Amino acid sequence: MKIFDFENYKAYVTALVSSRPKNGHGEYSRISKSLRIHSTTVSQIFKGDKHLTLDQTHRLAQYLALDTNETDYLMNMVLHEKSESEDLKSVFARRMEELKLKADSLQSKVLPNKELSAPDKAVFYSQWYYSALNLASGRPQGISPDEAAEKLKLPLRTVKEAYKYLKSCGLCREKQGRYYSENIRTHIDRKSPLATRHHSNWRLKSIEGLDHLKKEDLVFTAPITLSKKDAKRVRKEILDLIGSIAKQVEPSPSEDLYCLNIDWTQLAELK
């Protein structure tokens, strides 16, 4: 049950309680104890016209074990409902939307484990093969420059220089002529000027493979029109998918190198 799927805090708590074992029997009683108010007052709040105070909202967030972003969202939901003017409601509605976007950001789905230095970032994201070679060294047996050059169809000199760099910035280690990944994920912020280069490098690499598709490969292109509301829903579903894939990839053995390119971009506003 995700709090960001709701815009009304009473609807959120009601749905959350109903999802608990035995349809949430006794849950409101536990909430009343956590909020330090009578159970009758809890009923008047979540089934009537009364509202939580900010202190009660904070206690509720602690009881529900919400993180900082979720707590902020809950606070703004309460303030939105308590506001009497539409102008003030719009202020909290905008803040709620910002918190939703923050929760749905790619970085929250795929958390980076290492922050490269600025000079290292400039090198790492300049060519597709730096990340490819880093990934290729993720096998338990590691990989030699000769093997990597053959598998990725790269000049041996390029591979050796790249592994020397990957070793220097701590992404790989070398033992008896073989390279082993330190299993450190990297991530580049979408606002970085290097992000465009990184995305372009891998998309161009994928385009090269379009003439040699195998039956196991999957490519899909579909220009579509839909409502703004549905567009946001699709974006969220894509981010959830990315998060799910990231969890599967984490423990998966490094047997094959794939590239996942997903583009969901607004090309024109039709209304």
Side-chain angles (χ1 to χ4, degrees), residues 60-75:
L60 178 62
Q62 291 178 317
Y63 174 74
L64 298 177
L66 301 182
D67 63 25
T68 302
N69 203 48
E70 292 168 334
T71 298
D72 199 0
Y73 188 80
L74 178 62
M75 286 283 188

Side-chain angles (χ1 to χ4, degrees), residues 169-231:
C169 62
L171 293 175
C172 287
R173 67 183 186 279
E174 185 265 335
K175 183 178 180 181
Q176 297 180 345
R178 300 185 70 82
Y179 287 86
Y180 300 82
S181 173
E182 294 290 5
N183 294 318
I184 297 174
R185 288 181 298 177
T186 60
H187 181 84
I188 188 168
D189 189 272
R190 62 182 297 179
K191 297 179 181 178
S192 170
L194 297 172
T196 300
R197 183 67 179 270
H198 174 59
H199 294 311
S200 298
N201 286 339
W202 277 104
R203 278 159 177 76
L204 289 172
K205 188 61 183 174
S206 294
I207 289 172
E208 289 178 12
L210 290 178
D211 292 330
H212 311 284
L213 291 176
K214 300 183 292 293
K215 64 179 181 179
E216 297 86 1
D217 292 328
L218 173 66
V219 293
F220 182 74
T221 301
I224 58 177
T225 59
L226 71 172
S227 69
K228 293 183 182 298
K229 180 179 179 181
D230 286 335

Side-chain angles (χ1 to χ4, degrees), residues 30 32 37 41 79 81 86 88 92 136 142 183 209 239 269:
R30 289 186 284 274
S32 69
I37 57 178
T41 306
L79 289 168
E81 293 301 316
E86 290 301 318
L88 190 54
F92 296 117
N183 294 318
L239 284 166
E269 190 170 349

Side-chain angles (χ1 to χ4, degrees), residues 87-121:
D87 287 344
L88 190 54
K89 279 183 179 291
S90 66
V91 170
F92 296 117
R94 283 196 300 272
R95 178 56 180 159
M96 288 163 60
E97 188 64 26
E98 291 171 358
L99 292 166
K100 277 186 182 181
L101 292 174
K102 181 179 178 181
D104 280 341
S105 68
L106 185 55
Q107 194 165 358
S108 72
K109 302 292 181 181
V110 187
L111 294 177
N113 295 106
K114 182 177 179 64
E115 180 71 21
L116 295 173
S117 67
D120 283 339
K121 282 182 181 179

